[in-house]
Amino acid sequence: MEVIILPTSKEIGALAADSIEALVRNKPNAVIGLATGSSPLPIYDELARRHDEGLSFEGVSGFALDEYVGLPVGHYESYREVIRREFTNRVDVTAENVHGPDGASDDIAGACLAYEAAIVAAGGIDLQILGVGTNGHIGFNEPGSSLASRTRIKTLAEQTRQDNARFFDNIDQVPHHVVTQGLGTIMDARHVVLVAFGAGKAEAVRDFVEGPVTASCPASVLQFHPRATIIIDEAAASKLAGADTYRHAFNNKPHWQGV
Ligand code: GLP
C-alpha cells in the first residue's frame, strides 16, 4: 500500500489522472473501474480536461462499482447516470462500453452474476478508482462484508444513508438496498487508486491504512492488494501515525518508479 499525501484536491486528481493517462496510452482498450461520490470528481475533471487536449478514451471500457436498487432507470441520482454525467459523457468513451450493476433487474442475483462475467469477459479491471465511506466502506461493501465477496445485493448502513442523503431531497428517498462489486471483485483489479479528502475521512483512513485487516473496516482488505495507491489530503491524513514516513517515502522515490 502506497500512501501519498498532497495539499489540494486538484493535485490529487492530477496524480490519479497521471496513472489513468499512462494506462490508457499504453493500453488503449484498458478497463477502468469507475466510482461515484464526491471524491473521484477531481479525477474526472482532470481527465475531461486532458481529453479536451487530445487524450482519447475511445477504446476504453468502464465498469461502475455499485448502484442503488429500486431507483427507476435513468433516475438522476442512479450511479449509472452520475457516471455518465460526471465522466463518460465528457470524454469519448463509447456508450456501449460503459457498464454498471443492474439495480433495476427483476433478477438481482442473476444480474450480479452476469456483471461478474462481463468484467471477466472484458479482461478484468486494470485500474479501479475508489473513494471510502466514513465507516470504511468501499463500493457499498458495508462493515461486516466478507473480504472475499463478489457482486451482490447489500443493505446500506444508516450512517451511509445519512451521508448520501445530501444527494436527495430527504433521507427517506435514499434507497435501503444497493448492488455492489464485492471486496473480492475489487481485489481482482490490477491497480487500485483510492482518493479521500477532508477531516471527516481521517478516522476511516487511519483505520484502513494502519489498523488491522478486518471485515469491520472493509477498505482494510486493500492492505493485501499488491498495488494499492492511496492519495489523500492533509486533513484525511491527520490521524495517521506514519504520515511522516509516507511523505518521506514519496519524496524520495526513484524517479522511474511511478505510483
Ligand atoms: C458512496 C459510494 C462509495 C463512495 C462513498 C464516499 O457510498 N458508494 O463508492 O466512496 O460514497 O463518498 P464521497 O466520496 O462522496 O465521500
Side-chain angles (χ1 to χ4, degrees), residues 22-214:
L23 169 68
V24 169
R25 289 199 186 277
N26 185 46
K27 185 179 178 187
N29 63 345
V31 180
I32 302 177
L34 300 170
T36 51
S38 44
S39 304
L41 297 182
I43 307 176
Y44 298 146
D45 288 345
E46 180 62 15
L47 291 175
R49 198 189 62 74
R50 294 184 193 193
H51 170 66
D52 291 342
E53 291 180 350
L55 180 64
S56 176
F57 294 85
E58 203 178 351
V60 165
S61 296
F63 282 87
L65 252 186
D66 47 13
E67 182 57 278
Y68 290 111
V69 169
L71 293 185
V73 174
H75 188 286
Y76 191 78
E77 288 304 337
S78 74
Y79 280 177
R80 193 174 274 249
E81 289 304 311
V82 172
I83 279 174
R84 260 200 261 276
R85 205 160 59 230
E86 301 293 356
F87 180 51
T88 58
N89 279 359
R90 300 166 72 191
V91 298
D92 58 346
V93 179
T94 311
E96 305 87 80
N97 290 348
V98 183
H99 310 272
D102 187 355
S105 173
D106 291 336
D107 174 16
I108 292 283
C112 291
L113 282 175
Y115 197 61
E116 288 278 331
I119 293 173
V120 171
I125 291 173
D126 291 300
L127 186 149
Q128 176 66 58
I129 299 169
L130 289 178
V132 63
T134 52
N135 63 3
H137 76 233
I138 49 177
F140 268 135
N141 293 282
E142 296 286 26
S145 291
S146 159
L147 302 182
S149 49
R150 312 302 305 188
T151 303
R152 70 214 183 290
I153 191 165
K154 287 293 287 181
T155 301
L156 287 183
E158 267 315 287
Q159 178 67 57
T160 304
R161 292 186 69 243
Q162 282 163 20
D163 288 347
N164 289 3
R166 69 190 192 278
F167 297 111
F168 294 81
D169 290 339
N170 59 64
I171 192 166
D172 297 335
Q173 293 179 359
V174 184
H176 283 273
H177 296 108
V178 292
V179 277
T180 180
Q181 286 186 32
L183 295 173
T185 320
I186 293 167
M187 288 295 283
D188 285 346
R190 295 179 187 95
H191 184 190
V192 172
V193 176
L194 184 152
V195 290
F197 306 99
K201 298 291 172 73
E203 274 179 31
V205 167
R206 177 198 62 202
D207 291 351
F208 87 78
V209 171
E210 296 180 339
V213 175
T214 164

Side-chain angles (χ1 to χ4, degrees), residues 219-237:
S220 66
V221 73
L222 298 176
Q223 292 180 34
F224 280 125
H225 196 287
R227 193 173 177 208
T229 307
I230 315 302
I231 317 177
I232 54 180
D233 68 3
E234 293 287 348

